[in-house]
């Protein structure tokens, strides 16, 4: 996001804050009215006929009263066929075993499927799906190269091997053709959003298109268990035909919206190009009446049976925004915010200082997504949508959540009622909350939190942010950073008394953490100097076998300032292949090396051998990326087998033999 956009955004936010009675500030500088009292539990209830229209009318009236356009958000365009015996292979890095996640490269050990998004700004470029067979020596033989719908940006795919089907998830958002433009003004038509699931049969010699589902909205998250694909999406209905400017009296709002109906609010679905129909009925929606948010969104979770010839599906609808989604093998948890995010991208959002996040639990059984209860935590789940799911984890029926409860964050100076406040160096701790389902009351009740009166030491030091969270059974690992990297080892074996067992301070920080064999923990992030200035990429190996005494065993730095990796764009940017005490790491990188007079740049796949028994990290030769396509490191991936490494870069899949 550029500076002009940020300033515009800040002005919009400040104006909205000044017109409301709630606190919109980050710490310090000026005064603000008290924040609203936390909502008790944020329970959802079944919608009755007429509830959706009534809910939206009430929210629109409140928005207008608070100085906002009643029916529209200010939208900013931000920078935003030979068969071989299947061999061992690495897959997508998953948060939960048995819960698959979308990726641009998938394999069943015999075939490798890759998605190649078109390069930005390349005339005539087309998104493509490549199918390649793995040869006995590990090399690849291309079977097919098929175009995908260029109107939808491919976010990833799923391989349902048991159903012999592959599903590609795509998304498009557009303004369409300009309605008018002058030197001073550009007018766009109504903003529109759609997502699509393209299904291919994989039983034949090459994938064959067998079905397509199009849904109104944007992808919030997707997961797959067995052959059931779960698609969570958000939808903002087009209410621009109703003119409700700021300050419109409630009586006039009601009169203007008297004909508003559920059919105008619910997203639609099209199957195989058929007629549009409601994605869910009003009776399938759940409302949270006490939610203080002024959002005008619906969130849906659609379960699709990829093994069904007709792509049988069911949808659950929640009235309100969806912040992120976490899924275990038996449950799905949807986090919703009571706060409007005033930004075109989450990373630059400005939030009120007092934030509460509601978490809603649903039980999963095939296509059935059944509401179980709701709870709340203090704070929010961070700014990085790729890392948000890692802030939640279910273990033995309990949900553990790490919320950020500090007063300052990334981006730019926070706003307080129209004034710019300087960022403060105040404690910015993480807060761990453990929630447990109370089936009788349909609530997620708080079992414990950390810090607490008995254990008051903060998670995170003054001015630090939370960079990485990873739950592993009865343990959790939390990384915070400002100048150095405190790695906290949490003992959650007693849910009623969570505690910090150990703490290790090292330079730099880890963005992502991966438990590996032998009581070791692999961290991938950034190096930093003694002043806290971020340097190049860094791969670290920690010994956490003794949770009271975590130790740094080895670390390797790549490149200098400005270097980046695929993990900066997606949590699926790294690939790990584990065999016994050896972990092979494959990470697409762009490395800058600086000297006094010049800088050099190299791009490719960085590789390491990690020996967890010896506690060592050994670099392997970089697989150089083709020089003609250096544009989209976020779309680069790797996949590894016993005797090969495959590097997805641009429109190619490079094969490197492994000894």
């Amino acid at each position: 996001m550029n500076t002009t956009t940020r300033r515009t955004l800040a002005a919009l936010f400040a104006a909205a804050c000044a017109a409301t009675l709630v606190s919109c500030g980050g710490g310090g500088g000026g005064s603000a009215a008290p924040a609203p009292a936390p909502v008790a539990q944020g329970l959802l209830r079944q919608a009755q006929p007429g509830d959706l229209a009534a809910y939206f009318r009430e929210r629109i009236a409140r928005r207008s009263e608070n100085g906002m356009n009643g029916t529209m958000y200010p939208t900013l365009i931000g920078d935003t066929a030979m068969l071989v015996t299947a061999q061992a292979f690495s897959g997508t890095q998953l948060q939960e075993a048995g819960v698959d996640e979308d990726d641009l490269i998938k394999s069943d050990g015999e075939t490798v499927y890759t998605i190649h998004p078109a390069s930005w700004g390349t005339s005539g470029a087309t998104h493509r799906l490549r199918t390649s067979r793995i040869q006995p020596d590990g090399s690849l033989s291309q079977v097919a190269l098929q175009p995908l719908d260029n109107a939808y940006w491919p976010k990833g795919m799923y391989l349902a091997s048991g159903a012999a089907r592959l599903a590609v998830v795509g998304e498009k958002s557009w303004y369409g053709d300009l309605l008018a433009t002058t030197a001073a003004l550009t007018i766009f038509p109504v903003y529109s959003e759609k997502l699509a699931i393209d299904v291919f049969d994989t039983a034949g010699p090459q994938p064959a298109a067998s079905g397509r589902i199009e849904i109104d909205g944007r992808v919030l998250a997707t997961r797959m268990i067995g052959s059931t694909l779960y698609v969570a999406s958000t939808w903002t209905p087009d209410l621009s035909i109703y003119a409700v400017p700021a300050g419109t009296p409630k009586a006039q709002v009601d009169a203007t919206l008297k004909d508003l109906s559920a059919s105008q609010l619910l997203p639609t679905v099209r199957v195989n190009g058929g007629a549009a129909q409601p994605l869910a009925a009003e009776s399938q929606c759940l409302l949270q009446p006490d939610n203080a948010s002024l959002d005008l969104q619906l969130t849906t979770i659609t379960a699709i049976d990829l093994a069904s010839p007709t792509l049988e599906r069911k949808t659950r609808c929640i009235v309100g925004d969806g912040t992120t989604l976490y899924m275990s093998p038996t449950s799905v948890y949807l986090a919703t915010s009571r706060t409007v995010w005033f930004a075109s991208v989450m990373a630059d959002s400005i939030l009120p200082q007092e934030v509460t996040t509601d978490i809603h639990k649903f039980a999963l059984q095939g296509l059935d997504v059944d509401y179980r209860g709701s709870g709340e935590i203090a704070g929010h789940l961070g700014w990085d949508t790729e890392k948000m799911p890692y802030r939640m984890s279910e273990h033995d029926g309990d949900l553990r959540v790490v919320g950020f409860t500090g007063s300052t964050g990334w981006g730019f100076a926070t706003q307080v009622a129209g004034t710019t406040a300087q960022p403060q160096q105040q404690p910015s701790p993480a807060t761990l909350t453990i929630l447990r389902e109370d089936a009788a009351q349909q609530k997620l009740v708080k079992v414990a939190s950390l810090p607490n009166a008995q254990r008051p030491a903060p998670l995170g030091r003054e001015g630090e942010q939370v960079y990485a969270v990873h739950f592993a059974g009865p343990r959790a690992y939390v990384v915070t950073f400002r100048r150095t990297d405190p790695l906290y080892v949490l003992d959650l074996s007693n849910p009623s008394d969570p505690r910090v067992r150990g703490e290790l301070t090292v330079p730099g920080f880890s963005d992502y953490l991966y438990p590996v064999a032998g009581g070791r923990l692999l961290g991938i992030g950034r190096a930093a100097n003694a002043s806290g200035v971020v340097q190049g990429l860094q791969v670290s190996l920690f010994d956490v076998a003794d949770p009271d005494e975590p130790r740094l065993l080895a670390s390797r730095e790549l490149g200098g300032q400005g270097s980046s990796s695929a993990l900066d764009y997606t949590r699926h940017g790294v690939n790990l292949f584990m065999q016994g005490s050896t972990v092979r790491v494959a990470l697409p990188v762009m490395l800058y090396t600086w000297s006094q007079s010049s800088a050099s740049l190299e791009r490719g796949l960085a590789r390491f051998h990690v020996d967890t028994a010896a506690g060592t990290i050994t670099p392997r030769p970089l697989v150089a990326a083709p020089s003609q396509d250096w544009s989209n490191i976020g779309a680069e991936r790797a996949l590894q087998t016993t005797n090969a490494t495959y590097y997805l870069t641009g429109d190619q899949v490079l094969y490197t033999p492994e000894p």
Side-chain angles (χ1 to χ4, degrees):
M1 180 181 294
N2 59 39
T3 302
T4 301
T5 303
R6 291 181 177 182
R7 289 174 177 170
T8 304
L9 184 58
L12 288 169
F13 178 81
C17 290
T20 64
L21 299 178
V22 299
S23 169
C24 292
S31 60
V39 177
Q41 287 291 336
L43 298 183
L44 305 178
R45 68 168 178 82
Q46 196 77 32
Q48 302 300 316
D51 276 353
L52 284 187
Y55 180 95
F56 274 77
R57 280 195 295 267
E58 187 270 340
R59 286 301 190 271
I60 291 169
R62 285 172 50 193
R63 288 163 59 87
S64 181
E65 290 172 2
N66 288 329
M68 303 168 65
N69 185 299
T71 56
M72 297 177 64
Y73 282 116
T75 303
L76 301 175
I77 306 175
D79 306 336
T80 45
M82 177 176 68
L83 298 180
V84 298
T85 302
Q87 57 177 304
F89 63 96
S90 63
T92 302
Q93 292 304 126
L94 305 179
Q95 183 179 4
E96 293 285 354
V99 182
D100 198 10
E101 303 180 24
D102 64 280
D103 207 348
L104 299 177
I105 185 167
K106 293 285 185 181
S107 177
D108 57 6
E110 298 178 354
T111 306
V112 175
Y113 301 93
T114 52
I115 290 178
H116 303 263
S119 298
W120 287 108
T122 302
S123 177
T126 303
H127 308 311
R128 295 184 291 179
L129 171 66
R130 173 182 268 116
T131 304
S132 306
R133 295 279 189 259
I134 300 176
Q135 304 301 302
D137 64 354
S139 62
L140 296 178
S141 173
Q142 180 174 301
V143 174
L145 186 62
Q146 301 162 271
L148 298 171
D149 187 342
N150 230 31
Y152 288 80
W153 187 265
K155 297 181 70 66
M157 63 180 156
Y158 289 90
L159 183 60
S161 298
R165 279 188 160 176
L166 180 148
V168 177
V169 180
E171 180 181 70
K172 70 176 177 180
S173 55
W174 79 106
Y175 284 87
D177 298 329
L178 298 183
L179 294 183
T181 183
T182 67
L185 178 67
T186 299
I187 303 175
F188 292 96
V190 175
Y191 185 69
S192 185
E193 306 168 321
K194 284 189 181 294
L195 63 96
I197 301 100
D198 286 299
V199 180
F200 298 83
D201 287 331
T202 58
Q206 67 182 51
S210 60
R212 179 181 176 90
I213 296 177
E214 294 175 276
I215 297 173
D216 288 338
R218 294 183 65 85
V219 176
L220 175 64
T222 60
R223 299 288 189 272
M224 187 174 73
I225 299 176
S227 60
T228 302
L229 175 63
Y230 298 91
V231 179
S233 57
T234 59
W235 168 243
T236 302
D238 176 17
L239 300 175
S240 60
I241 61 172
Y242 299 105
V244 184
T248 303
K250 186 177 186 308
Q252 186 175 336
V253 172
D254 291 341
T256 301
L257 301 175
K258 62 181 176 59
D259 295 326
L260 186 65
S261 65
S263 62
Q264 296 172 272
L265 302 170
L266 290 166
T268 65
V269 59
R270 292 176 183 265
V271 179
N272 297 328
Q277 55 186 297
L279 179 63
E282 185 172 17
S283 60
Q284 294 171 305
C285 291
L286 298 168
L287 298 108
Q288 185 181 358
D290 294 331
N291 194 320
S293 172
L294 297 181
D295 236 343
L296 297 178
Q297 276 191 348
L298 297 170
T299 299
T300 58
I301 302 175
T302 301
I304 304 167
D305 183 3
L306 294 180
S308 166
T310 60
L311 298 177
E312 183 183 357
R313 70 186 190 280
K314 288 185 179 180
T315 297
R316 172 66 71 183
C317 161
I318 301 94
V319 181
D321 74 303
T323 300
T324 193
L325 176 145
Y326 158 75
M327 185 178 288
S328 75
T330 58
S331 307
V332 60
Y333 295 86
L334 177 69
T336 63
S337 174
R338 301 177 195 166
T339 305
V340 177
W341 295 76
F342 283 85
S344 59
V345 290
M346 188 75 72
D348 285 314
S349 296
I350 319 173
L351 288 176
Q353 186 168 344
E354 300 295 332
V355 176
T356 299
T357 297
D358 295 307
I359 299 178
H360 313 286
K361 178 180 180 179
F362 299 83
L364 299 176
Q365 186 62 48
L367 297 182
D368 293 320
V369 181
D370 297 325
Y371 177 59
R372 301 294 300 175
S374 300
E376 62 182 39
I377 66 163
H380 59 91
L381 300 178
W383 291 263
D384 190 334
T385 55
E386 286 293 306
K387 295 180 180 179
M388 284 181 178
Y390 286 100
R391 301 288 185 94
M392 295 187 281
S393 171
E394 185 183 71
H395 182 67
D396 290 342
D398 291 335
L399 180 69
R400 296 87 56 85
V401 189
V402 173
F404 180 74
T405 48
S407 59
T408 59
W410 289 274
F412 45 94
T414 52
Q415 304 295 314
V416 182
T419 65
T420 300
Q422 296 300 315
Q424 290 192 346
Q425 301 305 323
Q426 295 181 344
S428 302
T431 299
L432 170 75
T433 305
I434 299 178
L435 300 173
R436 181 173 298 165
E437 180 185 341
D438 182 336
Q441 299 187 66
Q442 281 195 314
K443 293 181 180 180
L444 302 181
V445 298
K446 186 168 77 171
V447 176
S449 62
L450 187 72
N452 55 47
Q454 181 182 355
R455 304 185 188 279
L459 292 175
R461 301 168 188 168
E462 183 174 325
E464 290 179 344
Q465 305 296 326
V466 180
Y467 274 78
V469 178
H470 193 99
F471 291 93
R475 283 195 195 175
Y477 305 98
V478 178
V479 167
T480 61
F481 174 77
R482 180 167 171 250
R483 293 181 181 276
T484 55
D485 170 358
L487 166 66
Y488 297 92
V489 181
L490 308 186
D491 183 351
L492 311 180
S493 57
N494 180 358
S496 300
D497 185 23
R499 58 194 180 107
V500 176
R501 287 287 297 272
E503 177 183 339
L504 175 67
T505 299
V506 293
F509 61 88
S510 296
D511 270 313
Y512 289 90
L513 299 168
Y514 306 96
V516 292
R520 310 305 198 212
L521 185 68
L522 186 68
I524 301 177
R526 291 289 198 280
N529 62 23
S531 300
V533 178
V534 175
Q535 304 295 308
L537 306 175
Q538 183 171 265
V539 178
S540 304
L541 182 65
F542 303 95
D543 179 359
V544 292
D546 180 354
D548 297 314
E549 296 291 339
R551 297 184 299 132
L552 175 66
L553 297 177
S555 66
R556 292 284 182 171
E557 188 172 342
L558 296 84
Q561 288 186 352
S563 298
S564 61
S565 79
L567 273 178
D568 294 325
Y569 304 91
T570 169
R571 62 184 181 276
H572 298 148
V574 68
N575 186 259
L576 306 180
F577 184 60
M578 305 183 192
Q579 287 185 306
S581 62
T582 299
V583 182
R584 282 168 35 203
V585 180
L587 178 68
V589 296
M590 180 183 290
L591 304 177
Y592 287 91
T593 303
W594 303 90
S595 66
Q596 290 184 344
S597 58
S598 64
S600 62
L601 171 64
E602 58 181 341
R603 170 83 174 271
L605 185 69
R607 298 179 297 155
F608 298 90
H609 272 188
V610 178
D611 187 328
T612 60
T616 59
I617 302 175
T618 304
R620 301 286 311 286
L622 184 85
V623 180
S627 58
Q628 67 269 23
D629 184 9
W630 288 40
S631 59
N632 189 8
I633 190 174
E636 294 194 344
R637 299 288 190 275
L639 185 146
Q640 303 175 84
T641 67
T642 304
N643 61 354
T645 293
Y646 307 111
Y647 174 28
L648 167 59
T649 174
D651 62 356
Q652 301 183 48
V653 181
L654 304 183
Y655 155 69
T656 301
E658 291 289 344

